[in-house]
């Protein structure tokens, strides 16, 4: 199994690029499993609704509760979906966010101790980490205005794209946070990329969808397993 994750702030283009990458990988004859966090399991989908719901400050979830919900969703994903297939040499997993998002958001963003988060991540993932991680890097203002643009198009475009429709129904929880919160997250991702340069590739996500997709593909294609039937 080759495990690839896409990380970055709100609206950086992870979902768009995950779809492009899966298409390109599948065109080689390899099997590709696309997952997103939180989600991709029954429990993950339920937790996603809870996590993403906008709340007043009185209703806000504690930061530890939020951390545990992401960890619970990830544990289900690894235990039930990715883990059982990890020995398949022909499989490529493309994850739209993974454990690094928790370090960036709950650690750098919310201020929870990073080493504590890494321990919880290790438990939740059974120490399974991606082979290759793309940081789609863009200033928070650009990403959030992309997401807001998407919301403003509702409901005209909604019926065309179930993911988009779900996103609108989910609310805007993290997008509503301050500029400083999103800047800390961006810094967090950069720190992670610096700490593990062999795993991370930093991609300028302010460019066109095609240019970003080509950069990702150029980094991925030499790492792909040779299909068994090739
Ligand atoms: N979270 C998640 C945590 O706090 N801790 C965790 O451990 C985890 C796993 C998840 C939220 O949970 C937080 C982070 C998130 O806030 P989500 O809906 O999955 O919620 O949020 P995101 O993953 O950020 O998804 P977004 O949709 O907001 O961003 P994407 O996937 O990066 O962006 P995408 O591809 O959907 O694109 C958004 C819009 O921009 C356009 C697209 O067409 C679309 O309209 N676009 C571009 N426009 C111009 N140029 C480009 N290059 C473009 N690329 C995309």
């Amino acid at each position: 199994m080759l495990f690839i994750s896409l990380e970055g702030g709100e609206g950086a283009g992870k979902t768009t690029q995950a779809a492009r990458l899966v298409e390109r990988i599948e065109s080689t004859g390899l099997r590709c499993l696309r997952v997103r966090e939180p989600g991709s399991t029954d429990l993950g989908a339920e937790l996603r609704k809870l996590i993403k719901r906008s709340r007043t400050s009185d209703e806000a979830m504690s930061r530890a509760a939020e951390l545990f919900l992401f960890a619970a969703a990830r544990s289900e994903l690894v235990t039930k979906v990715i883990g059982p297939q990890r020995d398949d040499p022909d499989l490529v997993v493309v994850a739209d966010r993974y454990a690094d998002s928790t370090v960036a958001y709950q650690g750098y963003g919310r201020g929870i101790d990073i080493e504590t988060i890494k321990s919880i991540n290790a438990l939740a993932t059974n120490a399974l980490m991606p082979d290759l991680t793309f940081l789609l890097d863009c200033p928070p203002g650009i990403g959030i205005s992309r997401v807001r643009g998407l919301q403003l198009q509702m409901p005209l475009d909604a019926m065309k794209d179930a993911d988009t429709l779900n996103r609108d129904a989910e609310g805007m929880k993290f997008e509503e946070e301050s500029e400083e919160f999103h800047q800390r997250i961006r810094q967090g991702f950069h720190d992670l990329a610096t700490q593990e340069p062999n795993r991370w590739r930093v991609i300028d996500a302010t460019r066109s969808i095609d240019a970003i997709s080509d950069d990702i593909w150029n980094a991925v294609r030499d790492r792909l397993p040779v299909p068994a039937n090739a």
Side-chain angles (χ1 to χ4, degrees):
M1 174 180 94
L2 177 70
F3 185 7
I4 300 167
S5 63
L6 297 166
E7 295 283 5
E10 313 294 310
K14 299 170 297 298
T15 307
T16 305
Q17 294 301 332
R20 292 274 186 115
L21 181 57
V22 167
E23 222 173 84
R24 285 176 127 162
I25 292 168
E26 286 180 339
S27 74
T28 69
L30 286 164
R31 196 162 70 81
C32 199
L33 172 66
R34 178 177 166 192
V35 294
R36 74 164 175 177
E37 282 230 45
S40 299
T41 64
D42 290 344
L43 182 66
E46 286 303 313
L47 294 179
R48 184 177 178 88
K49 283 187 218 156
L50 269 176
I51 291 165
K52 294 269 306 185
R53 209 182 80 209
S54 294
R55 291 182 166 81
T56 63
S57 51
D58 287 348
E59 299 166 330
M61 190 185 291
S62 77
R63 39 183 215 161
E66 185 182 83
L67 167 66
F68 291 133
L69 292 185
F70 281 115
R74 182 161 309 127
S75 173
E76 283 286 288
L77 177 69
V78 172
T79 306
K80 297 195 173 151
V81 180
I82 304 178
Q85 309 186 65
R86 69 190 288 180
D87 293 332
D88 181 343
D90 291 342
L91 178 68
V92 183
V93 175
V94 174
D96 186 343
R97 295 195 183 278
Y98 191 63
D100 298 302
S101 275
T102 313
V103 178
Y105 277 76
Q106 279 62 53
Y108 285 78
R110 298 280 193 231
I112 300 178
D113 175 63
I114 304 289
E115 291 311 313
T116 302
I117 293 178
K118 287 187 174 173
S119 300
I120 291 171
N121 272 346
L123 177 65
T125 60
N126 204 10
L128 176 69
M129 287 300 282
D131 302 296
L132 190 55
T133 297
F134 292 97
L135 169 54
L136 300 189
D137 181 49
C138 85
I142 294 181
I144 289 169
S145 58
R146 285 179 187 165
V147 176
R148 293 217 164 111
L150 196 66
Q151 300 267 330
L152 291 174
Q153 286 166 24
M154 295 292 165
L156 269 185
D157 290 346
M159 302 310 288
K160 294 182 199 155
D161 180 338
D163 268 357
T164 303
L165 183 61
N166 290 339
R167 185 180 359 237
D168 187 50
E170 285 169 341
M172 299 274 287
K173 183 175 187 297
F174 286 90
E175 293 88 333
E176 289 160 355
E177 295 286 346
S178 67
E179 164 85 17
E180 290 71 30
F181 176 80
H182 291 288
Q183 291 292 4
R184 289 199 300 278
I185 288 164
R186 187 180 188 199
Q187 184 59 50
F189 280 125
H190 275 284
D191 287 355
L192 287 169
T194 304
Q195 287 158 19
E196 280 186 86
N198 290 339
R199 173 162 72 92
W200 288 78
R201 301 285 178 278
V202 180
I203 305 272
D204 175 359
T206 61
R207 296 168 305 144
S208 74
I209 291 173
D210 285 346
I212 297 166
S213 170
D214 287 348
D215 273 7
I216 293 176
W217 183 239
N218 285 336
V220 164
R221 68 177 163 202
D222 291 340
R223 303 279 300 265
L224 291 175
V226 178
N229 61 359

